[in-house]
C-alpha cells in the first residue's frame, strides 16, 4: 500500500527529500505497511541522511509500534539543528500518518506540551519519567482534557468540568483552541531555550520562584497574588497547589488521589511545570475573550456566537 500524499504535503521538500520519499513510496507500493515494514524503510532510506543524534535515536529502537515511531519523530524534530535531518523527521511523520486511508491518527502517551517538557528534561540530564508516578502509580502528567487539573481516576475530566456544568460546556467548545495555544506556548519556550544555548529561565527554579512566575507565568502569578497565600520559596509550591488544585473540589472517591498527587508534587516541585503551563495558557485565553461570554445576539438578527470561558476568581476557591 503506497503513501497517500497530496501535493501540498510535500511541496516544500528539497530535491533530496523528494528522492527519499520516492524511494520509500516505490518500496512500500505493493505492501500492507506495518510498523516493522515502515521501520525497515526508515532505516534504509531515512537514516543515512540524518545527523548522529538522530541516527542514535533510530538505532536504539527495537520492534517499534506506530506510537514509538511517532515519538521518535518528535524527538528528532526537537533535538536536531540540521535542516536535512528535520526534513527526514517530517518524512517519518508522513510514513506514520499517511501509510493508510483514512490517515492514521497517533497521539503521544501524553499531551505534546508535556512531551516537549520531558524531552527537554532528558536533554539536560533530568530523567523526570523516573519520578512522574506517585507511589500508588498515579501519573502526575495526566491532566483533565479541558484544563490544568488532574482528572478524576478512571475519567478524562476533572471534578470541576463534570458533564453539563457551564464550565464544561464552555471548555468543550474551545478545547481545540486551548490545545493549540498550549502547544504553541510550549513549542515557543522550548525553541527559545535551545536557541539561547540553554541560558534561559526555562525550568522552575529553587529560589526566587515568584519572580520566575512573574516573568514566565504572569497570569498564574496574578491569580496567586490575589489569594493572599504565602509567596516565599518555602511555601509557594504549596500555595500554587491550593489555588490550582484544591482538594475540596473532589468527592471522597477522588480525594485520596488528588491529595497523593499534590503531596508528590510537593516532594518533587519540578513536576508542577506542565500544570503551570496549562494554567497560564487557560488564564491567558480567558483574559483575551471573556468579555464576549455568552455570545453576541441582536433582536431579529442572528450573529455568530463566540463561546468562551467565564471569568473565574480563584481567590474564592482555595482552602487553608
Amino acid at each position: 500500500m503506497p503513501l497517500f500524499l497530496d501535493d501540498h504535503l510535500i511541496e516544500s521538500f528539497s530535491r533530496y527529500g523528494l528522492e527519499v520519499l520516492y524511494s520509500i513510496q516505490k518500496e512500500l507500493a505493493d505492501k500492507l505497511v506495518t510498523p516493522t515494514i515502515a521501520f525497515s524503510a526508515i532505516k534504509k532510506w531515512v537514516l543515512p541522511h540524518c545527523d548522529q543524534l538522530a541516527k542514535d535515536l533510530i538505532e536504539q529502537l527495537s520492534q517499534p509500534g506506530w506510537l514509538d515511531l511517532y515519538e521518535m519523530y518528535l524527538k528528532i524534530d526537537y533535538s536536531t539543528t540540521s535542516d536535512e535531518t528535520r526534513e527526514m523527521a517530517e518524512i517519518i511523520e508522513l510514513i506514520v500518518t499517511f501509510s493508510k486511508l483514512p490517515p492514521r491518527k497517533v497521539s503521544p502517551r501524553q499531551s505534546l506540551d508535556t512531551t516537549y517538557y520531558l524531552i527537554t528534561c532528558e536533554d539536560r540530564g533530568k530523567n523526570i519519567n523516573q519520578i512522574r508516578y506517585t507511589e500508588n502509580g498515579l501519573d502526575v502528567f495526566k491532566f483533565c482534557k479541558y484544563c490544568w487539573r488532574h482528572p478524576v481516576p478512571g475519567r478524562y475530566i476533572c471534578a470541576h468540568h463534570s458533564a453539563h456544568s457551564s464550565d464544561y460546556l464552555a471548555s468543550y467548545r474551545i478545547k481545540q483552541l486551548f490545545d493549540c495555544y498550549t502547544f504553541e506556548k510550549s513549542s515557543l519556550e522550548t525553541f527559545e531555550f535551545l536557541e539561547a544555548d540553554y541560558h534561559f529561565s526555562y525550568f522552575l527554579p529553587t529560589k526566587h520562584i515568584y519572580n520566575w512566575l512573574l516573568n514566565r507565568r504572569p497570569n498564574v502569578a496574578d491569580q496567586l497574588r490575589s489569594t493572599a497565600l504565602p509567596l516565599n520559596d518555602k511555601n509557594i509550591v504549596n500555595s500554587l497547589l491550593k489555588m490550582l488544585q484544591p482538594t475540596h473540589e473532589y468527592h471522597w472517591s477522588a480525594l485520596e488521589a488528588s491529595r497523593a498527587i499534590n503531596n508528590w508534587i510537593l516532594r518533587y516541585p519540578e513536576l508542577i511545570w506542565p500544570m503551570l503551563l496549562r494554567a497560564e495558557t487557560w488564564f491567558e485565553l480567558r483574559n483575551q475573550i471573556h468579555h464576549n461570554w455568552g455570545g453576541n445576539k441582536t433582536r431579529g438578527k442572528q450573529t455568530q456566537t463566540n463561546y468562551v470561558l467565564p471569568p473565574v476568581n480563584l481567590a474564592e476557591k482555595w482552602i487553608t
Side-chain angles (χ1 to χ4, degrees):
M1 189 175 294
L3 299 180
F4 300 95
L5 301 175
D6 293 331
D7 289 343
H8 76 276
L9 294 171
I10 59 175
E11 60 186 7
S12 63
F13 275 67
S14 65
R15 180 182 59 81
Y16 64 77
L18 292 173
E19 289 175 354
V20 170
L21 270 173
Y22 175 77
S23 299
I24 294 173
Q25 177 84 306
K26 186 176 180 180
E27 179 168 324
L28 301 183
D30 300 323
K31 298 177 180 177
L32 178 63
V33 183
T34 64
T36 300
I37 291 174
F39 188 47
S40 176
I42 289 169
K43 289 192 293 184
K44 180 178 180 179
W45 299 106
V46 172
L47 187 146
H49 297 276
C50 292
D51 59 24
Q52 189 57 50
L53 180 59
K55 287 179 180 179
D56 293 341
L57 288 171
I58 293 173
E59 290 173 341
Q60 72 184 16
L61 281 183
S62 176
Q63 298 182 329
W66 290 120
L67 179 56
D68 299 307
L69 294 176
Y70 184 75
E71 292 188 339
M72 179 180 68
Y73 142 70
L74 290 175
K75 290 181 179 180
I76 294 174
D77 185 60
Y78 163 84
S79 60
T80 187
T81 58
S82 163
D83 291 339
E84 182 178 9
T85 299
R86 183 164 288 112
E87 192 168 67
M88 293 302 106
E90 293 175 5
I91 290 176
I92 295 174
E93 182 192 20
L94 292 177
I95 293 172
V96 172
T97 306
F98 295 102
S99 55
K100 70 179 288 289
L101 280 179
R104 184 176 291 106
K105 294 183 179 180
V106 181
S107 299
R109 292 177 174 86
Q110 57 276 316
S111 61
L112 285 174
D113 50 282
T114 300
T115 298
Y116 272 126
Y117 178 63
L118 289 171
I119 294 173
T120 305
C121 289
E122 184 179 339
D123 189 48
R124 301 309 296 157
K126 302 173 182 285
N127 195 345
I128 297 296
N129 268 320
Q130 289 186 343
I131 58 173
R132 67 181 288 183
Y133 297 95
T134 69
E135 293 173 337
N136 296 329
L138 298 172
D139 188 357
V140 174
F141 292 157
K142 185 177 181 181
F143 297 102
C144 170
K145 60 183 180 179
Y146 300 121
C147 69
W148 65 85
R149 301 172 183 88
H150 290 88
V152 174
R155 303 188 65 187
Y156 295 100
I157 59 175
C158 64
H160 190 78
H161 286 110
S162 58
H164 308 303
S165 69
S166 60
D167 286 342
Y168 167 81
L169 295 174
S171 298
Y172 173 81
R173 289 162 178 156
I174 67 161
K175 181 183 184 303
Q176 186 175 7
L177 188 59
F178 171 67
D179 289 343
C180 288
Y181 266 56
T182 305
F183 177 60
E184 181 180 347
K185 190 171 187 64
S186 173
S187 301
L188 181 64
E189 292 194 1
T190 299
F191 290 119
E192 190 177 355
F193 182 57
L194 293 174
E195 290 176 0
D197 196 24
Y198 308 116
H199 298 296
F200 172 71
S201 57
Y202 180 87
F203 297 105
L204 185 76
T206 56
K207 296 181 180 179
H208 310 298
I209 297 175
Y210 184 68
N211 289 336
W212 182 88
L213 288 174
L214 287 172
N215 184 39
R216 306 307 309 170
R217 304 290 180 261
N219 290 291
V220 172
D222 287 345
Q223 288 285 341
L224 183 60
R225 185 171 56 246
S226 70
T227 65
L229 288 164
L231 303 178
N232 59 77
D233 289 336
K234 182 179 180 180
N235 297 301
I236 192 169
V237 174
N238 190 37
S239 297
L240 286 165
L241 291 170
K242 284 184 175 182
M243 179 186 75
L244 295 175
Q245 188 160 260
T247 54
H248 75 274
E249 291 188 352
Y250 292 87
H251 299 297
W252 67 269
S253 59
L255 184 60
E256 183 178 352
S258 62
R259 283 178 174 170
I261 288 175
N262 281 4
N263 288 334
W264 197 252
I265 293 175
L266 287 173
R267 183 174 177 180
Y268 301 105
E270 59 267 42
L271 296 175
I272 202 174
W273 195 97
M275 178 193 286
L276 294 178
L277 175 77
R278 294 176 69 85
E280 178 67 21
T281 305
W282 196 95
F283 293 138
E284 183 178 332
L285 181 59
R286 185 208 66 196
N287 290 342
Q288 288 185 24
I289 56 181
H290 80 269
H291 60 278
N292 289 326
W293 171 245
N296 298 319
K297 295 181 180 180
T298 58
R299 185 180 298 275
K301 181 180 179 180
Q302 186 72 32
T303 61
Q304 183 177 359
T305 302
N306 298 316
Y307 297 111
V308 297
L309 295 170
V312 173
N313 181 7
L314 290 180
E316 298 175 353
K317 293 180 174 292
W318 63 269
I319 59 174
T320 58

